[in-house]
C-alpha cells in the first residue's frame, strides 16, 4: 500500500507540473512578439548547426523559445524577421575596445581637438561596431568616462550601439602606460591624473572610485605599452601585491579585472594576483602559459593579433610616432606565435581587437588571423561569443542563441564554419529582437 500511495502521489505531482508547464508555455507564447527565421543557426554551446530555426522573442527582448520553422506556426500579430538563405550566429563580443579612440588620429595629432571631441567620436565608433556584428563590447578605459556616458545614451535611446561593459578610467602607475606621458611637466596637472595610483591604498581607492561612477569592469596597466611614450612593453609597472589589491577589491564589489600586460613578468604577476583577463599577452613565456592554463579561477587571454596590419600600413600617415611603430613591429610576430602556443596549451581565449588602434568597423578581420594561428573557425567564433560571455560573467544574457538570453543575433550569407572570413562582412544584425538598420 505504501508503494501504491507513493506512486499515486508521483503521478499526481507529475500532472500538476505538466499543467504548470503548459500554463508557463502559454504565457511565454502570448508574450512572443517577434520571430526570426533563417536557413541555419550555429549553436556555439554545442558546435552543432541547426537547420531552419524559428527563434521567438518576447517583449523583453529575450529569446522565449526556439522551434523548427518548417513545422511551427505563428499569428499575424507576430513580427517576422525573415533571414532566408542566411546562417545565424550569436551577436559577437569584443572584450577589448576603446570607443573614444579614432584609429586615424595618433601621436600628437590628438592635441588638435577639444576635450569633448573624443566622446563625440565614440558615438560613431559604437554604431560601426554594431553594424560589424558586435552586439556587446567591453570598453577597457576611456577619458572623461565617455564609455559610461555612451552606455547610458544607448540604453536610453539617444544613440545606437552595442551593449557596453565600461571601465571608466584605467588604473596605472605614475609615468606608466595608463598615465599621460606625452606632455612636458609644465603642462601636467598639479595632482595625479584620474586613475593613477602609487600605493596599495591609492589603488584600492581608485577601484572604489571607478565603480562609484559607473564602471562595470576594472582596467589596470601592469606593464608598459606600445602606443604610450617612454614605456616599453616588457616593463613591469605594478607589483604582484599591488595587482592583488586591485583584484581582491574589485572581486569584493562583484567586478572583474582586465590587466594590460605585454611583458612576461607582468603577465605572471597578474595571473598570480587573481586578475581575470590578460590583455595583449604579447611576450608571455612558457611559465606564464602554464600558470594561465592551470589556474583554478579561470583566467582568459585577450590577444589583439590583427591590428598591426593596420598600424604598420596606416599608422605613420595618421600621426603615430615612429617609436610607437617600432615597438609595434617588435612585438607583432612574437604575439602571434604566442597566441598559437597559448591556444595549443589550453589557455582560455576571448576575442579582443583593441579597436581604436584599428578602425572599429573592421575588427571582423581578426577572425582570419586567429584561424591562421591555430584555432578552428568554430573556436574563433566561440572566443567571440560563448567565451566572452563566460569571461564577463554574463552567460545568462549574451554569448549564445539560447532561451532566456537576449535576442542578439547576426546573419551571414555563407558558412563561417568553413570560411571564417564571412564574419568580415555581416549581412544583418539583430539586437534585443530588433533588426538594426
Amino acid at each position: 500500500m505504501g508503494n501504491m500511495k507513493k506512486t499515486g502521489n508521483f503521478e499526481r505531482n507529475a500532472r500538476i507540473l505538466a499543467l504548470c508547464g503548459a500554463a508557463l508555455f502559454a504565457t511565454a507564447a502570448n508574450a512572443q512578439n517577434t520571430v526570426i527565421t533563417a536557413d541555419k543557426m550555429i549553436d556555439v554551446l554545442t558546435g552543432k548547426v541547426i537547420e531552419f530555426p524559428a527563434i521567438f522573442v518576447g517583449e523583453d527582448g529575450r529569446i522565449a523559445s526556439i522551434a523548427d520553422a518548417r513545422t511551427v506556426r505563428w499569428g499575424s500579430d507576430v513580427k517576422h524577421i525573415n533571414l532566408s538563405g542566411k546562417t545565424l550566429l550569436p551577436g559577437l563580443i569584443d572584450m577589448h575596445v576603446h570607443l573614444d579612440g579614432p584609429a586615424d588620429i595618433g601621436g600628437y595629432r590628438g592635441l588638435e581637438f577639444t576635450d569633448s571631441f573624443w566622446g563625440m567620436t565614440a558615438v560613431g565608433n559604437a554604431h560601426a561596431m554594431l553594424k560589424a556584428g558586435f552586439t556587446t563590447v567591453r570598453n577597457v578605459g576611456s577619458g572623461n568616462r565617455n564609455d559610461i556616458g555612451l552606455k547610458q545614451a544607448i540604453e536610453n535611446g539617444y544613440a545606437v550601439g552595442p551593449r557596453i561593459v565600461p571601465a571608466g578610467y584605467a588604473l596605472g602607475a605614475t609615468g606608466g602606460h595608463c598615465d599621460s606621458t606625452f606632455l612636458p611637466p609644465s603642462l601636467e596637472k598639479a595632482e595625479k591624473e584620474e586613475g593613477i595610483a602609487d600605493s596599495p591604498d591609492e589603488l584600492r581607492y581608485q577601484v572604489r572610485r571607478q565603480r562609484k561612477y559607473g564602471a562595470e569592469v576594472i582596467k589596470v596597466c601592469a606593464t608598459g605599452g606600445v602606443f604610450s611614450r617612454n614605456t616599453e612593453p616588457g616593463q613591469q609597472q605594478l607589483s604582484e601585491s599591488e595587482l592583488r589589491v586591485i583584484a581582491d577589491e574589485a572581486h569584493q564589489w562583484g567586478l572583474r579585472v582586465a590587466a594590460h600586460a605585454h611583458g612576461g613578468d607582468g603577465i605572471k604577476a597578474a595571473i598570480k594576483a587573481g586578475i581575470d583577463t590578460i590583455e595583449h599577452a604579447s611576450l608571455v613565456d612558457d611559465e606564464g602559459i602554464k600558470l594561465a592554463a592551470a589556474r583554478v579561477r579561470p583566467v582568459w587571454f585577450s590577444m589583439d593579433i590583427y591590428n598591426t596590419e593596420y598600424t604598420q600600413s596606416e599608422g605613420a600617415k595618421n600621426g603615430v610616432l615612429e617609436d610607437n611603430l617600432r615597438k609595434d613591429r617588435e612585438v607583432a610576430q612574437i604575439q602571434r606565435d604566442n597566441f598559437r602556443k597559448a591556444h595549443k596549451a589550453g589557455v582560455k581565449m576571448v576575442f579582443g581587437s583593441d579597436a581604436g588602434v584599428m578602425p572599429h568597423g573592421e575588427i571582423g578581420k581578426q577572425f582570419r588571423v586567429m584561424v591562421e594561428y591555430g584555432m578552428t573557425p568554430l573556436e574563433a567564433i566561440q572566443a567571440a561569443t560563448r567565451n566572452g560571455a563566460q569571461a564577463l560573467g554574463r552567460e545568462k544574457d549574451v554569448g549564445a542563441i539560447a532561451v532566456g538570453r537576449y535576442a542578439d543575433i547576426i546573419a551571414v550569407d555563407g558558412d563561417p564554419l568553413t570560411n571564417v572570413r564571412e564574419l568580415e562582412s555581416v549581412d544583418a544584425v539583430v539586437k534585443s529582437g530588433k533588426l538594426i538598420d
Side-chain angles (χ1 to χ4, degrees):
M1 286 291 293
N3 288 339
M4 290 177 63
K5 187 174 182 180
K6 288 179 181 178
T7 301
N9 288 338
F10 176 82
E11 290 174 349
R12 183 170 60 253
N13 291 338
R15 286 196 297 270
I16 292 171
L17 288 171
L19 289 171
C20 290
L24 288 170
F25 178 82
T27 301
N30 291 336
Q32 294 168 1
N33 59 7
T34 301
V35 61
I36 304 163
T37 62
D39 282 15
K40 295 179 181 180
M41 179 190 90
I42 297 175
D43 181 349
V44 298
L45 301 180
T46 65
K48 296 180 179 179
V49 176
I50 310 300
E51 292 192 342
F52 301 105
I55 303 164
F56 289 90
V57 184
E59 294 176 358
D60 59 358
R62 292 180 181 267
I63 297 172
S65 62
I66 302 173
D68 188 325
R70 294 168 293 188
T71 59
V72 73
R73 298 291 181 267
W74 53 85
S76 58
D77 58 333
V78 175
K79 181 179 179 181
H80 182 199
I81 299 177
N82 186 355
L83 298 174
S84 177
K86 301 188 186 302
T87 298
L88 304 182
L89 301 89
L92 303 172
I93 302 171
D94 192 331
M95 294 287 285
H96 190 121
V97 307
H98 299 283
L99 292 171
D100 58 350
D104 58 349
I105 300 174
Y108 288 104
R109 281 201 56 214
L111 299 178
E112 299 174 20
F113 304 94
T114 193
D115 296 336
S116 58
F117 167 80
W118 309 101
M120 302 300 103
T121 68
V123 177
N125 290 335
H127 194 192
M129 291 205 71
L130 184 62
K131 290 193 296 181
F134 287 81
T135 54
T136 299
V137 301
R138 187 179 64 166
N139 198 90
V140 283
S142 67
N144 297 321
R145 297 189 173 86
N146 290 324
D147 54 351
I148 297 170
L150 180 56
K151 172 186 171 69
Q152 294 170 344
I154 291 171
E155 291 180 345
N156 287 277
Y158 292 99
V160 177
R163 304 180 193 282
I164 298 174
V165 180
Y169 284 89
L171 279 53
T174 295
H177 179 68
C178 284
D179 196 7
S180 176
T181 56
F182 280 87
L183 298 177
S186 59
L187 295 180
E188 292 283 5
K189 296 178 181 178
E191 67 278 8
K192 291 179 181 179
E193 296 285 343
E194 180 90 30
I196 303 307
D198 296 299
S199 71
D201 284 344
E202 288 183 357
L203 290 165
R204 184 177 292 109
Y205 167 74
Q206 285 297 336
V207 171
R208 296 175 180 179
R209 181 172 174 82
Q210 300 316 311
R211 190 210 65 86
K212 175 182 178 180
Y213 291 112
E216 297 176 13
V217 63
I218 299 300
K219 163 72 177 299
V220 59
C221 287
T223 75
V226 170
F227 293 101
S228 52
R229 184 172 175 270
N230 194 29
T231 75
E232 289 297 322
Q235 293 172 340
Q236 185 172 342
Q237 297 180 344
L238 289 174
S239 67
E240 181 183 329
S241 61
E242 289 173 319
L243 292 167
R244 183 171 290 109
V245 165
I246 294 169
D248 289 349
E249 188 65 32
H251 293 161
Q252 175 180 284
W253 290 94
L255 302 180
R256 301 193 180 194
V257 185
H260 161 107
H262 284 285
D265 289 341
I267 291 169
K268 287 180 284 191
I271 294 170
K272 293 175 182 177
I275 299 294
D276 300 288
T277 66
I278 307 300
E279 311 302 304
H280 312 299
S282 303
L283 307 177
V284 65
D285 57 22
D286 291 343
E287 182 185 359
I289 289 174
K290 290 180 181 178
L291 284 171
R295 204 179 77 175
V296 175
R297 180 186 175 101
V299 60
W300 305 81
F301 278 11
S302 170
M303 301 179 73
D304 49 326
I305 59 172
Y306 167 76
N307 60 45
T308 190
E309 294 183 20
Y310 175 83
T311 54
Q312 289 302 315
S313 65
E314 305 294 329
K317 70 176 74 171
N318 294 338
V320 178
L321 304 181
E322 171 53 30
D323 188 51
N324 301 125
L325 294 174
R326 182 265 308 170
K327 290 187 284 185
D328 187 40
R329 288 191 296 270
E330 289 177 354
V331 303
Q333 190 57 49
I334 298 173
Q335 184 191 40
R336 290 183 173 190
D337 292 337
N338 282 333
F339 177 94
R340 186 193 298 277
K341 289 175 64 176
H343 171 255
K344 186 176 181 180
V347 175
K348 295 179 182 295
M349 313 282 278
V350 294
F351 183 103
S353 69
D354 209 0
V357 171
M358 61 175 287
H360 295 77
E362 297 182 13
I363 56 178
K365 294 179 179 180
Q366 179 165 296
F367 286 106
R368 166 184 60 82
V369 186
M370 294 168 76
V371 171
E372 287 178 2
Y373 281 84
M375 284 189 170
T376 66
L378 176 61
E379 288 172 332
I381 291 167
Q382 288 173 327
T385 52
R386 180 197 66 182
N387 296 9
Q390 290 175 357
L392 289 172
R394 302 194 180 192
E395 300 100 315
K396 294 182 180 180
D397 295 329
V398 296
I401 301 175
V403 172
R405 304 202 196 196
Y406 286 113
D408 294 352
I409 297 168
I410 65 171
V412 295
D413 283 332
D415 181 5
L417 294 180
T418 57
N419 179 15
V420 79
R421 299 194 69 173
E422 290 287 340
L423 297 177
E424 295 180 14
S425 180
V426 171
D427 298 292
V429 179
V430 175
K431 181 185 174 191
S432 291
K434 296 180 181 178
L435 186 64
I436 302 299
D437 185 2

